[in-house]
Amino acid sequence: MCKNWTTWFGYYKQIPELKKAIDMKAIWTIGAGYEILDPLSKVYLEHIRGWGRDTFNTILKNMIIVMQIAGDAYAEIMRDKKTGIIINLKPLDTGSIKIIIDRS
């Protein structure tokens, strides 16, 4: 669990220079979008809506911003039960994720 998420997110919200730098890095990373050669994959990505009004690009941008603030970002991959095709990608709250590692 990211114990300092609230503090770091507060810095992001309160320090305009920090916010601008992180936002611009995310915008630069996303660039002009993405290119997909397979038309079927393009259709799948166009239908990803996150929690509602998101697009695949806005989800990626949000995850890059969160990763820069907290060091990592998480999303739930939702698949069609019959085909296994990704039908949605929902960003998860970084402050509530706990990583458990098996030492064996």
Side-chain angles (χ1 to χ4, degrees):
M1 185 160 65
C2 182
K3 297 176 184 176
N4 297 323
W5 167 251
T6 307
T7 303
W8 293 340
F9 188 63
Y11 293 152
Y12 171 77
K13 288 296 217 180
Q14 293 176 353
I15 303 171
E17 297 85 1
L18 177 64
K19 182 178 186 334
K20 189 67 167 178
I22 291 173
D23 290 350
M24 290 310 293
K25 182 174 183 182
I27 291 168
W28 181 85
T29 304
I30 300 288
Y34 52 89
E35 182 178 329
I36 298 178
L37 301 177
D38 177 27
L40 192 56
S41 294
K42 184 177 180 182
V43 170
Y44 294 145
L45 292 181
E46 287 174 350
H47 286 87
I48 290 179
R49 291 291 171 242
W51 287 102
R53 293 185 173 177
D54 286 320
T55 64
F56 188 65
N57 273 351
T58 60
I59 292 169
L60 289 178
K61 180 182 173 194
N62 177 57
M63 291 190 72
I64 291 167
I65 290 170
V66 170
M67 185 220 23
Q68 290 298 309
I69 296 170
D72 216 339
Y74 306 94
E76 177 184 2
I77 299 172
M78 303 182 74
R79 297 180 181 271
D80 183 274
K81 291 181 182 179
K82 292 182 181 179
T83 62
I85 295 169
I86 295 175
I87 56 174
N88 205 358
L89 189 63
K90 292 185 178 182
L92 300 174
D93 178 14
T94 300
S96 67
I97 300 293
K98 187 173 186 178
I99 300 172
I100 300 173
I101 300 173
D102 182 12
R103 292 184 179 236
S104 58

